[in-house]
Structures are given as C-alpha cells and as structure tokens.
Amino acid sequence: MEKILSDLVSTINFVLWDYLLIYALLGIGLFFSIYLGVPQLTKLGAAFKSVFGGLFAKKDAADKDHKSLSQFQALAVAVSAQIGTGNVAGVATAITAGGPGAIFWMWFSAVLGMSTIFAEALLAQKYRVVSHGKYIGGPAFYITHGLTPKIGRSAARFLSGGFSIALIIALGFIGNATQSNSISSAVTVAFNIPPLAVGIGLAVLAGLIIVGGVDRIAKITQFVVPFMAIIYIICAIVILFKFSSHIAPMFNHIFTAAFNPQAVLGGAAGIGMREAVRFGVARGLFSNEAGMGSTPHAHATADVQHPVQQGMAAFVGVFIDTLLVCTATALIILLTDADKLGLQGAAVTQQAFVIAFGSGGAQLLAVCLTFFAFTTIIGWYYFGESNIRFLFHGRHLAVYRTLVLLAIVLGTLGKVDVVWSLSDMFNGFMVIPNLIALFLLRKEIRAVYDDYLAQKKAGGALSYHYEFHEYHEQQ
C-alpha cells in the first residue's frame, strides 16, 4: 500500500513540478518583473531603507497600531518560515543532482521570484481583514475579496477554500512533521538525544510560543531570525577565508556549469543543463516560497503607510533567504568539495562543516539547522492558523494547535520520504490557485503600485485607503 501511495504521489509531483509549476512560477515572476518595471532591482535600496532604516528608532506607544505588527516583525515572521531545512538540505540536493550550475539558476529564480512575492504581499495588504482586533490576510482573503467580482462567488470560494485546505495540510501538518524530523535527525546524530525526547521538547517549546498568538511569534522571530542568519553567514565567511584559493575556480565552475555542465563535470556525470536548471530553480523556489502563497499571511499583518512598502519588504525576505543564506550553504559545500563524497541532502552540508571546522562541525550545523527548522515550524503554524480562521471563522483553533503539536512529535519518530513527497504535492496544490489569483488581479497590483509611485513623485507622506472587512468569528 505504501509503495502504491509513493508511486502515485511521485507521478503527480513529476507532472506538477517538472512540467507545470516550475515554468508557471518562472513565467509569473518574469511577467511581473516586466509588467511592474523590475521593482526588485529599482526599489531594492528603498526596500532595505524602509525595513531597516527606522529599526532602532523609538516609536510612541500612542502611535502604534495595535491591530498590526511592525514592518520588521512581519518580515521576521515571513523569513522565519522561509529559512528552513531547504536552505541546508535543499541546496545540497540542488548541487548533487544538478551540479554547481544549479546555484546560478537558483539565483536567477530568486531574482524573478522577488517580483512575485512583491505582488503577493501587496495584495495581502490590500485585502487584509480585521479579526478579533488583529489584521489577518493571505491568498484565501485576496482570492475571495478580489476575485469574486471577476469570476463569481462560488468559483472564488472554491479556489480560496482549496488553497486553505492545501496549506493547512502542506505546512501546518505535513510540513511541520518534516521540519521536526530534520531537527531530530541532526540532533540525534550530533548529541545522541533520543528522537522521542527531541519531539516532545520541540512540541512543548512550540506550544508555549503559539499559544501567545502572532504577537508572541513575532517577538520570538524578530530576535531569533537575525541571530541565526548572521551566525550561519559568519560560518560561510570563515570558510571563504579558510579556502580562499578555491574561490575563483568555484565561481568559474558555477557559471560554466550553468550553461555547459559537461565542460566542468564530464560526460560521465550525466548532468546536463536541463538538470542544472530544474534542480536550481526548484530548490530555490521551495526555499524562498515565492509564489506559493505562504508568506503573504505574515506580510498582511504589517503596520505600513502603503501596501507597496510591505511588498518591498517581502522581496528583502527573498534576498535574505536565497541570495544570502542559500548562497552561504552553496559556498560551504563547493569550497570544501563535500558534494563529491557521494552523500545526499543535509549530510552533504554536515560533512562540509566537519571538513571546515573539524569534529565540532556536526554539532555546529545541528544547532544551526535546529534554529532554522524550529522557526519555520512556528511560522508555518501561524500561516495554517490564518487559514483555519478563514475556513471556520475562529472555531477549532484548539483542535488545530493540538494536531500541529502531535505532528511535530510524530515527525521525529521515523523516516519521512513519502511524507516529504506528500508535502511537495500539497505545496503544488497551494501554488495553482495563488498563481491564478495573481494573474487575474494584475491590474489591481499595478494600480496600487502606480498610486505609490505617484505619491513618491509628488512628495509628502504616503497614505492608502484600506477597505477593511470585519471578519466575524466564533470562539
């Protein structure tokens, strides 16, 4: 029975990801890059200034919108979900399956994905709602409120409901089980702690955080996310200095193998340009989640003067996730030649750390991976909660929380190969309605962006008229 399920899921994933979604995601990213005038390049400096410029400025409590998070907090929640095991195991898989050229295509997909996630976050802001005194939003909300006038209420509800169910399964349950499994695998090997003990500890810690809602999740992630990213990038910088003589050949291999893998790897490697593109793009998109519809749930909560400001913050998230953290992993692997040892997944990155830092490298990576995966767990929990609220109007939150914590424990207890495949499949089911909505709402996206550009040209303070919908709930 397990083999039948595995074969079926593998076939669906092959069609979804190899022949449909990779091209659809690249296509929508290219479309919005051209349609909006490559905001990910023209507005990148303004985006960093918006997110980090006033980070340490004191803000009067009377000026704070208590329905929302700060722009940086919302970005931290989004990045907490983006930086996970994909940054460690996913990048390693891209390199071992697609060669060093896959890293170039990972960068390429990230640049295009920045325009997609810009559009997602902008819509999440425009169509967010007030629920029990807090802003919530995401694709289910912008599909419902944005597409109902275009395709009718029934069709919009079908798409939004399908998205919500897929996300809850893909991220809230299956995804969190795979994240806890990754933590357990690394911690058990590095510190010899039994998997069940790891699972229970993770569930208790996660429970203490998620019971406090998005405010507590934001307070944790705004401190943990910068810390974990900086530590990991410092590790990569140390390795750059340690293997400095390898840097020029490494970058030469990346760019040469992106277009002519045989020139670097030889015919026996069996890796062609198609594999380099496929694995580089797929792993990059899985890591930064651009187009998947997950991170808009965090961006909807931000307190900004104009939706475009949070759209710009969103592509800062992709920059941090892929162009910094994923690149750090790639450098660590390629500089140490860990990809040539016949290992797979996170074991490749772990061996790279051992080569660079000695026997303590395994423990160092285990700590980094634990932070990455745990913050993803609490971020994905919140994304699922937003969709539980959408589907059930505030009911069944306790049931959802209990099932998520159970998934965390069960995820540490065994191999999850089929579960990873199921997660990929439901991720694909999330992407489809989200991309449909992004394309059908392209004029709304452009109108909001044009309004922002006009206000910036005119000078003065930014403003935007939000049409909030009160979302009545039952507890």
Side-chain angles (χ1 to χ4, degrees):
M1 183 67 185
E2 183 178 345
K3 186 178 185 307
I4 294 173
L5 175 63
S6 178
D7 290 345
L8 175 62
V9 172
S10 295
T11 301
I12 293 172
N13 283 339
F14 181 70
V15 174
L16 274 177
W17 289 105
D18 284 44
Y19 287 101
L20 178 61
L21 295 182
I22 284 182
Y23 300 106
L25 286 164
L26 284 176
I28 202 78
L30 180 62
F31 170 78
F32 278 114
S33 296
I34 296 170
Y35 187 61
L36 301 176
V38 287
Q40 68 268 45
L41 300 182
T42 61
K43 301 300 178 186
L44 186 60
F48 274 93
K49 183 178 179 181
S50 177
V51 172
F52 300 108
L55 189 58
F56 300 104
K58 291 185 178 180
K59 188 172 183 179
D60 194 306
D63 295 331
K64 178 175 171 57
D65 186 345
H66 293 282
K67 295 190 292 294
S68 63
L69 303 178
S70 71
Q71 186 180 36
F72 179 76
Q73 286 178 320
L75 175 61
V77 174
V79 173
S80 74
Q82 289 169 298
I83 299 180
T85 56
N87 297 76
V88 176
V91 174
T93 299
I95 293 172
T96 55
I103 301 307
F104 172 85
W105 295 109
M106 181 184 75
W107 293 334
F108 178 76
S109 68
V111 172
L112 293 184
M114 288 165 76
S115 69
T116 307
I117 211 164
F118 171 82
E120 291 178 293
L122 183 155
L123 286 178
Q125 277 274 319
K126 176 178 172 61
Y127 291 104
R128 66 186 182 179
V129 303
V130 179
S131 168
H132 278 210
K134 296 287 182 183
Y135 293 133
I136 62 171
F141 297 91
Y142 60 67
I143 290 171
T144 298
H145 297 303
L147 290 190
T148 294
K150 296 178 179 294
I151 64 175
R153 178 175 174 80
S154 297
R157 290 292 294 183
F158 174 78
L159 288 176
S160 60
F163 172 86
S164 290
I165 293 168
L167 183 141
I168 292 164
I169 295 171
L171 303 187
F173 301 145
I174 298 176
N176 279 335
T178 57
Q179 295 293 329
S180 67
N181 182 269
S182 297
I183 294 174
S184 173
S185 299
V187 170
T188 299
V189 170
F191 301 104
N192 199 31
I193 299 175
L196 181 59
V198 175
I200 293 172
L202 288 173
V204 170
L205 188 57
L208 291 173
I209 295 171
I210 65 180
V211 74
V214 68
D215 287 331
R216 187 173 298 175
I217 291 171
K219 287 176 182 176
I220 296 294
T221 57
Q222 72 176 335
F223 292 109
V224 174
V225 167
F227 171 78
M228 72 183 190
I230 290 169
I231 292 297
Y232 196 69
I233 291 168
I234 288 174
C235 290
I237 293 172
V238 170
I239 292 174
L240 276 173
F241 280 104
K242 192 169 184 178
F243 295 87
S244 58
S245 62
H246 297 187
I247 293 175
M250 178 196 66
F251 279 106
N252 180 59
H253 284 175
I254 288 174
F255 289 106
T256 302
F259 301 96
N260 186 14
Q262 307 308 327
V264 174
L265 302 171
I271 295 175
M273 184 175 168
R274 184 177 184 277
E275 284 72 24
V277 175
R278 172 193 169 196
F279 285 101
V281 171
R283 291 303 105 189
L285 292 172
F286 269 128
S287 178
N288 61 51
E289 302 183 25
M292 283 177 56
S294 51
T295 59
H297 300 91
H299 294 300
T301 65
D303 177 18
V304 290
Q305 296 170 310
H306 197 283
V308 168
Q309 291 176 298
Q310 198 58 30
M312 295 191 299
F315 61 64
V316 169
V318 174
F319 184 94
I320 293 169
D321 171 83
T322 307
L323 299 181
L324 290 184
V325 179
C326 282
T327 298
T329 300
L331 297 180
I332 289 167
I333 292 171
L334 293 174
L335 286 172
T336 59
D337 288 330
D339 57 312
K340 300 175 181 177
L341 301 176
L343 301 172
Q344 297 293 325
V348 178
T349 313
Q350 188 173 55
Q351 187 59 37
F353 268 74
V354 171
I355 293 170
F357 299 108
S359 59
Q363 286 81 7
L364 177 59
L365 180 63
V367 171
C368 292
L369 184 59
T370 297
F371 276 111
F372 286 0
F374 183 75
T375 55
T376 297
I377 286 172
I378 59 176
W380 281 357
Y381 160 81
Y382 174 68
F383 300 164
E385 179 186 292
S386 296
N387 285 276
I388 290 289
R389 290 185 179 277
F390 172 78
L391 289 174
F392 301 109
H393 295 266
R395 293 171 292 173
H396 310 310
L397 285 178
V399 175
Y400 170 67
R401 287 173 180 168
T402 301
L403 290 175
V404 168
L405 297 179
L406 181 61
I408 291 170
V409 175
L410 293 177
T412 64
L413 298 182
K415 294 182 178 180
V416 289
D417 294 344
V418 175
V419 178
W420 271 109
S421 296
L422 283 168
S423 180
D424 289 349
M425 183 178 72
F426 281 103
N427 282 335
F429 294 159
M430 286 167 53
V431 171
I432 293 169
N434 187 50
L435 293 189
I436 291 171
L438 290 177
F439 184 73
L440 293 179
L441 293 172
R442 63 192 181 278
K443 292 182 179 179
E444 285 80 352
I445 294 167
R446 181 61 185 264
V448 175
Y449 187 43
D450 285 346
D451 176 69
Y452 169 83
L453 294 176
Q455 289 191 45
K456 291 294 287 185
K457 186 176 181 179
L462 292 169
S463 64
Y464 186 77
H465 176 63
Y466 287 92
E467 297 181 5
F468 297 119
H469 302 264
E470 188 69 33
Y471 203 65
H472 298 289
E473 296 189 339
Q474 305 170 23
Q475 294 289 357

